[in-house]
Amino acid sequence: METVLENKLFLIKTLSAKPNLLNFILQYVQQDKIITKRDYSDLNSSNQTPMNIIIDLLDTVMDRGDATCCKFVDLLKRKEVQENFPDLKERFIPSPTSHNQDNPVEAANEVDDCYPVTRRPLGHCLIINNHTFEDRTRLSTRKGTDADRDALTEVFLRMHFIVEERRDLVSSDMQNTAKEFAAMDHSRMDAFVCCILSHGEKGTVFGIDGESVAIRDLTLPFAECSTLTGKPKLFFIQACQGKDLQKGVLMHDGSEDELEDDYKKADFTSVPLEADFLIGMSTVESYKSFRHTTEGSIYIQDLCKHLKVCCPKKEDILSILTKVNRSVSAKDLKRHKQMPEPRYTLTRKLVLPMD
């Protein structure tokens, strides 16, 4: 965003100097999904002067965040754009790793390398927060889970998601809630997020009634949602995926009675993924996942910390999750370790905006 802002006056002067090419630049920014079709129509049908149209265009681009600004700057470095606006060469020098100017197909592919994340609100963020389990299940109360909910809410509100918590759901209500959100109209949004905080086992999470729900049963409704086709669908799951402990040496984060795990034995169920999904598991299969009874889970807290630091730097989600893996795995918990595991079928880079 800083590059566009710093060069705003220069861009206004340069791009508005050739009124006959105004439609040319508008077509390119719409074609590259920097602005929407509606934005294009509004700007193209405007009775304003060329200078005011460019001002509105730049303001629209900056309002959409850093990822959109980066795509716009990349567009200004394109050979065909600079041939029509030679003055751009003074400020926007194509880098060797930028678009392949001699290969239009490859250049177009690079432009489409990122998921669009320009709509506001960006999407729905559902938090299923199971805190208190029925006595007959013998599953412990998940102390500290509200700290996770608060951290997730803060982060995803800053990303322009509509955040909604559903608390203490039995297994059937967890599935019905997934179907409810999948049935919503997401056509004016660019993404969907679901965070599940509960006890669990391999490939499953538990309702407060102690009944298991296959993670696939929670993701499948969204795979079948037509208004989310081609859009990133992110699931972050804080729950054990087994009863084993990964070996460690020392313990630094909390005493023995402050750290708990989110485990209960259940049958194995695989977690298949359809296109454009990312499932961030708090631990690999067969192992426990730790939660601090007051500060929240190790995984969710580290995830939120890294999202807050890395998203403003325009880092993509997979790079961020790699850092989360490194951070969580470096901790010693009850003399044991924890290793998160992201599973994904994303087809583009995902750079989440954050204000």
Side-chain angles (χ1 to χ4, degrees):
M1 185 181 298
E2 291 181 2
T3 302
V4 178
L5 184 60
E6 290 171 359
N7 290 280
K8 186 175 182 181
L9 293 177
F10 168 79
L11 289 171
I12 293 170
K13 179 181 178 181
T14 302
L15 298 178
S16 64
K18 298 182 178 181
N20 59 314
L21 292 177
L22 192 58
N23 192 51
F24 166 86
I25 196 69
L26 291 179
Q27 285 181 345
Y28 262 87
V29 293
Q30 195 274 319
Q31 173 185 304
D32 290 355
K33 299 180 181 178
I34 295 169
I35 62 173
T36 65
K37 290 182 180 179
R38 177 176 292 182
D39 293 330
Y40 171 79
S41 297
D42 290 344
L43 291 167
N44 203 35
S45 62
S46 173
N47 293 321
Q48 300 183 83
T49 65
M51 181 175 292
N52 285 334
I53 291 175
I54 295 300
I55 291 173
D56 287 347
L57 170 62
L58 296 176
D59 288 342
T60 299
V61 169
M62 288 189 288
D63 285 344
R64 300 284 162 79
D66 289 335
T68 300
C69 287
C70 285
K71 291 180 70 175
F72 182 65
V73 170
D74 282 347
L75 172 64
L76 298 177
K77 296 177 181 179
R78 297 260 289 274
K79 180 180 179 180
E80 58 270 35
V81 174
Q82 294 195 351
E83 284 178 347
N84 285 282
F85 298 93
D87 290 346
L88 291 175
K89 297 176 183 178
E90 299 175 10
R91 306 282 184 97
F92 301 94
I93 302 172
S95 62
T97 57
S98 186
H99 298 291
N100 186 337
Q101 309 295 348
D102 298 322
N103 189 333
V105 174
E106 185 173 336
N109 288 339
E110 290 181 12
V111 169
D112 288 335
D113 195 36
C114 293
Y115 285 103
V117 286
T118 57
R119 290 173 175 161
R120 300 293 182 268
L122 182 55
H124 288 283
C125 173
L126 167 65
I127 300 177
I128 296 178
N129 183 18
N130 287 344
H131 175 270
T132 306
F133 289 74
E134 296 176 3
D135 291 340
R136 63 181 179 82
T137 67
R138 296 186 179 180
L139 288 168
S140 62
T141 297
R142 299 185 61 257
K143 299 176 183 178
T145 189
D146 287 347
D148 287 345
R149 174 205 58 200
D150 293 344
L152 290 165
T153 299
E154 177 191 356
V155 165
F156 286 106
L157 282 176
R158 288 180 60 187
M159 292 180 184
H160 307 284
F161 282 90
I162 300 171
V163 180
E164 184 172 345
E165 178 195 18
R166 296 293 177 90
R167 188 178 182 86
D168 290 346
L169 301 183
V170 297
S171 57
S172 59
D173 285 343
M174 292 175 71
Q175 296 179 73
N176 290 335
T177 298
K179 293 175 182 177
E180 173 192 340
F181 274 76
M184 293 179 177
D185 183 3
H186 302 267
S187 58
R188 296 187 178 182
M189 299 178 179
D190 283 332
F192 174 77
V193 172
C194 179
C195 306
I196 302 173
L197 314 174
S198 190
H199 288 294
E201 233 288 334
K202 293 180 183 178
T204 68
V205 288
F206 288 86
I208 63 167
D209 55 353
E211 297 298 321
S212 64
V213 180
I215 294 172
R216 175 171 173 76
D217 290 340
L218 298 176
T219 62
L220 188 58
F222 297 95
E224 298 172 345
C225 174
S226 60
T227 56
L228 281 173
T229 300
K231 300 176 183 180
K233 296 164 277 287
L234 313 182
F235 286 73
F236 297 103
I237 299 173
Q238 168 56 39
C240 282
Q241 289 298 292
K243 61 182 179 180
D244 295 332
L245 289 164
Q246 293 171 297
K247 291 183 178 179
V249 181
L250 300 174
M251 177 184 66
H252 297 299
D253 294 308
S255 65
E256 292 282 346
D257 56 357
E258 289 177 321
L259 284 169
E260 299 180 350
D261 58 67
D262 287 320
Y263 164 73
K264 183 181 184 298
K265 187 174 181 180
D267 294 333
F268 173 79
T269 306
S270 61
V271 188
L273 295 175
E274 288 73 24
D276 303 301
F277 273 84
L278 182 147
I279 298 187
M281 309 292 293
S282 62
T283 186
V284 295
E285 281 189 356
S286 300
Y287 287 93
K288 289 187 176 184
S289 178
F290 289 94
R291 170 176 33 82
H292 194 283
T293 57
T294 58
E295 298 174 5
S297 66
I298 308 304
Y299 172 66
I300 294 296
Q301 293 299 319
D302 264 40
L303 171 67
C304 291
K305 179 183 74 174
H306 281 85
L307 287 172
K308 286 192 285 188
V309 170
C310 299
C311 285
K313 298 178 182 178
K314 302 185 292 294
E315 294 188 36
D316 69 278
I317 189 65
L318 296 183
S319 297
I320 294 172
L321 291 179
T322 299
K323 292 183 178 181
V324 173
N325 280 6
R326 182 166 64 246
S327 175
V328 172
S329 64
K331 300 178 187 294
D332 292 294
L333 313 164
K334 286 187 174 181
R335 300 183 181 87
H336 294 280
K337 294 284 189 178
Q338 178 178 330
M339 172 57 77
E341 180 185 12
R343 309 176 188 183
Y344 64 94
T345 56
L346 298 179
T347 56
R348 301 182 184 183
K349 287 184 180 179
L350 177 58
V351 180
L352 292 166
M354 179 172 284
D355 293 339

